[in-house]
Amino acid sequence: MPESGPSTPYVANKPKDIPTAEALRARIPGWGVDLDRKDRPSYPREVYDPGSTGAHWDYPEEQPHREGRERSIEHGQLTPVFGTSAPLHGVSGSIRRYAYRYGEGRAAHWLLLLLGDRVDAWGAHAASFVSLRPDNPITETGVLAEGRRHGIASRFGRKRVDVNHQWIDPIVVAGPWVAGAAGAFLGVRAIVRRGRR
Amino acid sequence: MKAMVYRGPYKIRVEEKPMPRIEHPNDAIIKVTTAAICGSDLHLYHGLMPDTRIGHTFGHEFIGVVEEVGPSVQNLKRGDRVMVPFNVYCGSCYYCARGLYSNCHNVNPNATAVGGIYGYSHTTGGYDGGQAEFVRVPFADVGPTIIPDWMDSEDAVLLTDALATGYFGAQLGSIVEGDTVVVFGAGPVGLYAAKSSWLMGAGRVIVIDHLEYRLEKARTFAQAETFNFAEYDDIVVEMKRTTDFLGADVVIDAVGAEADGNFIQQVTGTKLKLQGGSPIALNWAIDSVRKGGTVSVVGAYGPIFSAIKFGDALNKGLTLRMNQTPVKRQWPRLFEHIQNGYLKPNDIVTHRIPLADIAEGYHMFSAKLDNCIKPLIIANPS
C-alpha cells in the first residue's frame, strides 16, 4: 500500500489528476461545446423521422435488369436498388453463386466468397496474358513507391512493429506468380521430354 | 473514363472503363474532382473483404460536380458541386426512417448485415466507387449535399467519411465531462476521434499507435497525450498505470481489422486470412477500459469471425457500441464546428496524388511510407 494510503479505484473517489473544465476550455478550442449528450447529432440512436431524408417515395422505384442478380438468402426479396460493378461470370461466378446459397451466419458463405475472389484473380491474371494489356506486377503493386517515397528511411530506426511481418507481403503477392511460373516450366519440360522419347 | 480497378490482392491499376449510366430514376452521375484513400480501403486492397471482384473500382470518400441526373431527381442539377456520404441509402426503409442510414435495407442485396457503401466490394452492394473520373450515385435526392461556398474542397471530401466517423466514434463513447478517453490508432479516424472527444468534454485524451510521426500529429493536431505501444511490454498495463489502475472511462477502437502489435494475430488475420482480420486493438480496448466503461468501435471489421476476448467484456460489464457512421446525420454539427474553427479537417492531409499514380499511392499508404497519414486522389483537376 502506498504511504498516502489506498487510492482510486480502491476507494470511491474519481482520479484526482483530471484538469478542471476552465483549464481545458482555455487550452482546447471548442472544449465542451458538445458536452450535452442529448444534443449530440446521433442521440438518440434511432429517431423516427422519415420526412427528413429527402426521399419522396414510400418504397423506391425498382431498378431494372433484376434477373439473375445474386442476393443474400437472408433478404426477403431483391433490394430495389443494387450495384452493377462486376456481374458474376465464369468459374469464380459459379463459386460465388454457390456461396449465396448459404446464410451470412455460415462460415461457408464467406469462405466460398474468398475462394471465388482468388479464382477470379487467377483467371484475370491468366486472361491478361492473352490481352493487349497483360498484368504488370511492378506497376500494379506500386512497389516503385519504395524508391520514390523513402521505403527504407520510412521503415527502419523508427520502432515500427509492422516491419516484423511486412517481409511476408512479397511472398503473399509474388508467391502465386512464382508457383505458376514454376508449374508452367515443369509442365512444358515434361511435355518436351515426353516428346523426345 | 479512367478509373482505378482492382486486379487481385495488393494489385490495382488505372483502366479505361465505360462511363457510368443512369440505372435508376433517382441516380446521378458525378464527375469526381477529389477522392481519398481510406484506411478501410486497405482491407479490400489486401484481399481481406469477401466478394471483392476483379474490375471493381474502390473509393467511398469523394466529392465532385453533377454531370447528369435521372428523371426523378429534384434536389440536384448539372453543375452542382456536391459531397457524397460514403453510405448508399434510400431514405425510406425501416432503418433510414429511424436515422440508421448506414444500415439501409434497400440498397445491398448481397448482405443484410451491412448497408450500401460505394466502392467497397459486392458485400456492401457492388457499387463502383469514386476513385475514378465519374461515378454513379444512387438516391441523389437523399445522400449528396451541395458543398457550401465557404467550405474548403479538401474539408468537404474528409467530411464524407473520416471526419464524420471520428466524430461519431467519440459520440458512441457517450463521453461525460472529465472522462479519460483512450483512442487506439492515430490514423485519420483516430485523430478526428481524439479531437472530437475534447468537444464532448473529455478530461484526458490519450492516443496510442506505433508510428511516431502519427503520434506527433496526435499531439499537435488533437492536443492528445500519446503512447507508442512499441515502447512498452504491455500497453494495457501501461494504460492501467496511467489511470491510477482504474482504466479508461471510454476507449475508441479506430484501427479495425489490420491492427499491429501481435505477430500471430497479424499473420493469421491479415496474411493467411484465417480470421476476419487481426482484432488486436479491439482486445486491447476491452482490456484497457475500466469496469462498466464503454468501448466504441469505428475501425472497420469484415464479416468473418475474429478472436475477440468477449469474456473480459462480459465480466467487466462493458458497453460495446459500434456502427458504420450515418454520415449525413453528423454534417450540420460538423459544418458548425468547422466554421467556428474548432475543427480543421485538412490539417491531416499529407499527400495529393493524381489518379494515374494511384497504385503507388496505395502502396505508400499501405506500407506507411513518407509519413503518410491521409492521401487524396485528384481525379479531375478543377
Side-chain angles (χ1 to χ4, degrees):
Chain A
M1 186 186 300
E3 286 181 13
S4 55
S7 62
T8 307
Y10 304 97
V11 295
N13 51 293
K14 294 193 77 173
K16 303 184 193 91
D17 57 351
I18 301 297
T20 64
E22 291 68 33
L24 289 164
R25 201 170 278 121
R27 184 165 72 87
I28 312 285
W31 182 88
V33 293
D34 289 325
L35 199 53
D36 181 0
R37 191 180 160 209
K38 293 183 178 174
D39 188 38
R40 294 174 188 166
S42 285
Y43 185 91
R45 183 174 67 168
E46 296 188 22
V47 181
Y48 184 73
D49 189 9
S52 67
T53 64
H56 40 85
W57 47 80
D58 293 326
Y59 174 73
E61 188 172 325
E62 292 191 341
Q63 184 175 327
H65 309 299
R66 309 169 65 74
E67 309 75 27
R69 180 59 162 84
E70 75 283 0
R71 69 175 168 89
S72 165
I73 59 170
E74 295 187 31
H75 262 302
Q77 61 164 74
L78 183 65
T79 56
V81 168
F82 49 87
T84 54
S85 167
L88 297 177
H89 69 282
V91 177
S92 65
S94 299
I95 295 170
R96 285 168 170 144
R97 197 172 290 286
Y98 190 76
Y100 279 98
R101 292 184 181 190
Y102 294 96
E104 296 164 49
R106 303 277 293 275
H109 175 71
W110 302 111
L111 296 177
L112 281 166
L113 286 175
L114 279 178
L115 175 65
D117 291 352
R118 299 299 172 264
V119 170
D120 193 9
W122 297 329
H125 294 324
S128 80
F129 290 111
V130 291
S131 75
L132 294 175
R133 192 176 178 194
D135 277 314
N136 180 337
I138 303 296
T139 57
E140 290 177 11
T141 57
V143 71
L144 295 177
E146 289 289 328
R148 293 178 185 140
R149 303 289 185 178
H150 316 107
I152 292 173
S154 296
R155 283 198 180 84
F156 298 104
R158 292 181 163 222
K159 301 177 191 165
R160 287 179 55 166
V161 301
D162 52 349
V163 175
N164 73 351
H165 61 75
Q166 284 191 346
W167 59 271
I168 299 173
D169 292 345
I171 297 172
V172 170
V173 176
W177 293 75
V178 173
F185 171 76
L186 292 173
V188 169
R189 191 176 68 170
I191 291 168
V192 169
R193 283 181 176 173
R194 191 168 295 166
R196 282 179 185 164
R197 283 183 207 148
Chain B
M1 68 149 186
K2 288 186 169 50
M4 164 269 168
V5 297
Y6 177 66
R7 295 294 301 171
Y10 294 83
K11 291 181 286 295
I12 61 170
R13 70 185 186 191
V14 174
E15 279 183 7
E16 282 292 331
K17 285 180 80 165
M19 277 285 289
R21 295 179 297 105
I22 299 288
E23 299 185 54
H24 180 273
N26 210 248
D27 279 359
I29 304 300
I30 306 296
K31 181 179 182 179
V32 179
T33 51
T34 307
I37 307 177
C38 178
S40 62
D41 286 330
L42 298 179
H43 309 329
L44 302 172
Y45 178 66
H46 294 153
L48 280 171
M49 187 70 168
D51 215 355
T52 303
R53 301 182 188 175
I54 301 302
H56 188 54
T57 296
F58 300 167
H60 55 268
E61 297 179 282
F62 60 91
I63 62 169
V65 179
V66 176
E67 178 77 5
E68 184 184 358
V69 294
S72 81
V73 175
Q74 299 175 359
N75 299 336
L76 297 180
K77 63 182 186 308
R78 182 181 160 86
D80 285 341
R81 288 178 65 238
V82 291
M83 49 205 288
V84 183
F86 78 81
N87 324 110
V88 183
Y89 66 108
C90 73
S92 61
C93 69
Y94 179 93
Y95 300 102
C96 287
R98 288 160 176 78
L100 299 173
Y101 307 148
S102 52
N103 308 107
C104 177
H105 216 64
N106 270 339
V107 292
N108 179 8
N110 297 78
T112 57
V114 60
I117 301 175
Y118 294 96
Y120 211 75
S121 83
H122 273 66
T123 292
T124 69
Y127 298 91
D128 271 331
Q131 291 166 5
E133 291 181 322
F134 295 88
V135 60
R136 171 196 174 207
V137 171
F139 298 115
D141 283 333
V142 176
T145 289
I146 292 175
I147 299 172
D149 289 338
W150 55 266
M151 187 178 286
D152 179 89
S153 292
E154 293 186 350
D155 288 350
V157 75
L158 293 163
L159 277 157
T160 62
D161 179 2
L163 175 59
T165 296
Y167 184 71
F168 181 63
Q171 284 181 81
L172 290 177
S174 302
I175 296 165
V176 300
E177 184 174 341
D179 270 355
T180 294
V181 178
V182 168
V183 180
F184 279 99
V189 170
L191 292 169
Y192 291 139
K195 186 80 176 167
S196 301
S197 297
W198 292 123
L199 305 182
M200 294 170 206
R204 284 181 80 187
V205 177
I206 297 167
V207 175
I208 297 170
D209 204 298
H210 69 107
L211 297 169
E212 195 50 50
Y213 72 92
R214 291 189 174 194
L215 292 172
E216 171 63 21
K217 180 61 82 173
R219 290 189 286 272
T220 57
F221 173 79
Q223 296 90 31
E225 299 169 54
T226 60
F227 286 77
N228 184 333
F229 70 76
E231 295 177 355
Y232 300 94
D233 177 55
D234 186 335
I235 193 63
V236 171
V237 173
E238 196 57 31
M239 286 303 98
K240 295 288 172 64
R241 281 200 186 105
T242 195
T243 56
D244 295 340
F245 293 91
L246 178 66
D249 299 292
V250 176
V251 180
I252 301 170
D253 171 6
V255 180
E258 293 193 64
D260 267 299
N262 180 308
F263 183 78
I264 298 296
Q265 289 265 29
Q266 250 291 333
V267 171
T268 58
T270 69
K271 311 297 184 197
L272 303 178
K273 281 84 173 170
L274 296 178
Q275 55 173 330
S278 140
I280 301 162
L282 181 51
N283 284 330
W284 282 348
I286 288 169
D287 286 339
S288 299
V289 75
R290 70 168 168 83
K291 286 178 265 193
T294 299
V295 172
S296 156
V297 186
V298 284
Y301 289 87
I304 298 179
F305 36 80
S306 291
I308 307 295
K309 300 179 73 175
F310 213 79
D312 285 358
L314 165 70
N315 294 324
K316 293 175 75 172
L318 302 186
T319 299
L320 306 180
R321 299 193 68 202
M322 63 209 85
N323 201 352
Q324 296 282 353
T325 308
V327 171
K328 205 167 174 181
R329 266 179 89 167
Q330 321 305 316
W331 277 357
R333 185 66 56 85
L334 288 172
F335 286 13
E336 282 176 30
H337 290 340
I338 292 170
Q339 277 197 297
N340 290 329
Y342 302 148
L343 295 170
K344 293 179 182 169
N346 77 347
D347 275 359
I348 69 161
V349 173
T350 51
H351 294 78
R352 295 157 182 88
I353 300 164
L355 178 62
D357 296 337
I358 195 167
E360 291 193 18
Y362 263 87
H363 181 82
M364 173 184 67
F365 191 41
S366 169
K368 312 291 184 291
L369 308 183
D370 207 25
N371 292 347
C372 184
I373 296 177
K374 187 65 175 177
L376 300 184
I377 303 299
I378 312 303
N380 284 289
S382 53

